[in-house]
């Protein structure tokens, strides 16, 4: 009896369409990069956005500030830092054309072809909230709802003025958690109500809800909006994070869903591919696989692109030496994002080997991308492939290194991620 193929792809069974993969540079992390020499800046931009040298990311997540003018690094400054005199007073917006260096980053990303820009508000300015502060939760005062909606729309208009289209807009970030930094609470019911205020004035942008702390928690927000016809018409993308709970099943909607923020826990800067720490590259590869195959996500956005200290960002910035260091987390994400392009459709893919986590995609150009994460300790070979086949290996020793393919057979090394392109 013939053994079943190691991997089987069914082009006739199609799942979600991919919007893209991205990174967040909120809380003024752009300033770290902008302070580096121009040649170093370019290297980092290449690592994030180039399809030849790096990850080819296609989504940039921006932070809408709520802090007073003159706030220090790590606090995003508001476009209306002072109370204009009440919710019905004429607004007094302030725009410097820079937005904590985010305009600079957005323009750079756009040069590489990035077209999805997700702007997220962590909080309204403190004067709009019942606590009077941007930090430590609190709720939007009911009388400020329309003014806050106008505030968010004005943010998108300022970016349009700079030549950047904010395509996706979120009015809350982790509304189910009182964070010590900028944060604001919404219940699912309150989110439904505010969507009906924001939606009619935010024409031309996709509304996003609700950036919950965990994926399971996002289901309550998604279900509440889907159950309300007036709110449902406005929200185009549903999102959740993976801190409280991981992505293990789809959200209750037919709209696109994004895993829009997560990084693993850890207390040290870690460059390893596989070390059992839970913050290595292998962990990221497994998380992306699960989000795509278990959660049917259309977008995956990592937190953060770069930072300082004992960070779990993709890159570590060394401010003193004016350089940077790369984690294998970047290459784990890049193995997916460089090759699975916006508009790709996920295909049904199964493996006869339980140790292989497999996903497959058909790109708009007709190419098929097969991602194979070998979680076992044995080498497996996928044989019988026809046509033009190229493969890339991400492991402890390789960062998208070219894999020799002979006779239609691709080796799948243990504890490694192999990306296979079929044409």
């Amino acid at each position: 009896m013939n053994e079943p193929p190691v991997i089987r792809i069914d082009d006739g069974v199609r799942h979600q369409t991919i919007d893209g993969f991205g990174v967040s540079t909120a809380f003024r992390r752009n300033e770290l990069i902008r302070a580096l020499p121009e040649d170093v800046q370019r290297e980092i931009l290449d690592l994030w956005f180039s399809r030849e040298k790096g990850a080819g990311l296609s989504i940039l997540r921006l932070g809408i500030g709520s802090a007073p003018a003159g706030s220090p690094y790590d606090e995003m400054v508001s476009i209306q830092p002072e109370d204009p005199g009440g919710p019905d007073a004429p607004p007094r917006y302030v725009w410097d054309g820079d937005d904590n260096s985010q305009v600079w980053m957005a323009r750079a990303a756009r040069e590489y072809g990035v077209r999805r820009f997700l702007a997220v508000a962590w909080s309204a300015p403190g004067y709009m909230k019942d606590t009077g502060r941007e930090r430590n939760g609190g709720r939007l005062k009911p009388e400020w709802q329309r003014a806050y909606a106008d505030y968010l729309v004005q943010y998108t208009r300022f970016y349009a003025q700079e030549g950047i289209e904010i395509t996706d807009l979120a009015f809350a970030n982790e509304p189910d958690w009182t964070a010590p930094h900028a944060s604001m609470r919404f219940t699912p019911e309150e989110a439904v109500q505010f969507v009906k205020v924001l939606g009619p004035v935010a024409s031309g942008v996709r509304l996003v809800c609700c950036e919950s702390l965990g994926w399971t928690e996002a289901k309550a927000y998604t279900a509440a909006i889907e159950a309300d016809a007036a709110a449902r018409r406005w929200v185009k993308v549903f999102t959740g994070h993976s801190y409280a709970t991981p992505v293990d099943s789809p959200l209750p909607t037919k709209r696109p869903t994004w895993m829009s923020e997560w990084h693993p826990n850890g207390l040290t800067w870690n460059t390893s591919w596989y070390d059992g720490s839970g913050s290595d590259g292998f962990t990221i590869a497994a998380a992306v696989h699960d989000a795509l195959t278990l959660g049917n996500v259309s977008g995956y956005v990592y937190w953060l692109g770069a930072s300082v200290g004992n960070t779990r960002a993709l890159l570590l910035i060394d401010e003193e030496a004016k350089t940077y260091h790369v984690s294998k987390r970047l290459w784990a994400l890049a193995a997916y994002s460089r090759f699975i392009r916006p508009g790709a459709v996920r295909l049904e893919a199964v493996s006869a080997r339980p140790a292989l986590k497999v996903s497959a995609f058909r790109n708009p150009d007709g190419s098929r991308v097969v991602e194979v994460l070998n979680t076992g300790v044995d080498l497996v070979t996928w044989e019988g492939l026809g046509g033009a086949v190229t493969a890339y290996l991400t492991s402890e020793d390789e960062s998208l290194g070219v894999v020799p393919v002979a006779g239609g057979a691709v080796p799948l090394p243990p504890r490694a991620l192999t990306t296979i392109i079929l044409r």
Side-chain angles (χ1 to χ4, degrees), residues 87 101 107 139 143 150 168 273 275 286 323 347 361 374 412:
S101 290
R107 284 175 172 160
R139 282 179 157 77
E143 64 268 27
D150 291 340
D168 303 85
W273 167 253
D275 61 9
T323 189
L347 307 174
F361 308 81
N374 187 345
L412 306 170

Side-chain angles (χ1 to χ4, degrees), residues 254-274:
K254 294 182 180 179
R255 300 278 194 184
T257 62
W258 292 8
M259 197 305 295
S260 54
E261 182 187 321
W262 177 73
H263 71 195
N265 293 323
L267 299 175
T268 60
W269 165 249
N270 181 7
T271 61
S272 297
W273 167 253
Y274 185 87

Side-chain angles (χ1 to χ4, degrees), residues 29-184:
R29 295 311 193 265
N30 308 280
E31 295 176 6
L32 299 171
I33 299 169
R34 203 171 184 182
L36 298 172
E38 288 189 6
D39 60 330
V40 179
Q41 293 176 17
R42 181 56 59 188
E43 290 174 9
I44 291 174
L45 293 172
D46 281 346
L47 284 170
W48 285 350
F49 302 119
S50 171
R51 293 185 62 187
E52 290 74 36
K53 300 178 181 179
L57 298 174
S58 53
I59 300 172
L60 185 64
R61 185 170 182 253
L62 307 169
I64 302 174
S66 54
S71 294
Y73 169 77
D74 205 35
E75 295 183 17
M76 300 179 289
V77 177
S78 168
I79 61 168
Q80 186 172 253
E82 304 295 335
D83 186 343
D88 298 321
R92 294 189 295 179
Y93 299 122
V94 178
W95 182 248
D96 61 4
D98 181 64
D99 192 32
N100 309 290
S101 290
Q102 290 191 114
V103 171
W104 171 80
M105 178 58 70
R107 284 175 172 160
R110 199 174 188 282
E111 290 178 1
Y112 286 86
V114 174
R115 293 295 180 267
R116 292 298 287 267
F117 294 94
L118 167 60
V120 180
W122 268 249
S123 173
Y127 56 80
M128 295 186 184
K129 298 166 63 180
D130 57 8
T131 58
R133 299 179 298 171
E134 63 148 355
R135 293 170 170 262
N136 296 299
R139 282 179 157 77
L140 184 67
K141 296 177 184 178
E143 64 268 27
W144 279 92
Q145 286 191 355
R146 176 55 192 267
Y148 180 50
D150 291 340
Y151 173 93
L152 296 173
V153 171
Q154 183 59 45
Y155 184 87
T156 70
R157 289 173 178 162
F158 281 138
Y159 268 78
Q161 179 180 305
E162 305 301 331
I164 301 295
E165 178 188 3
I166 299 296
T167 54
D168 303 85
L169 176 66
F171 59 88
N173 179 80
E174 296 174 354
D176 47 346
W177 182 46
T178 298
H181 49 260
S183 58
M184 185 165 64

Side-chain angles (χ1 to χ4, degrees), residues 241-254:
H241 300 170
S242 301
Y243 297 113
T245 49
V247 181
D248 58 4
S249 59
L251 296 183
T253 180
K254 294 182 180 179

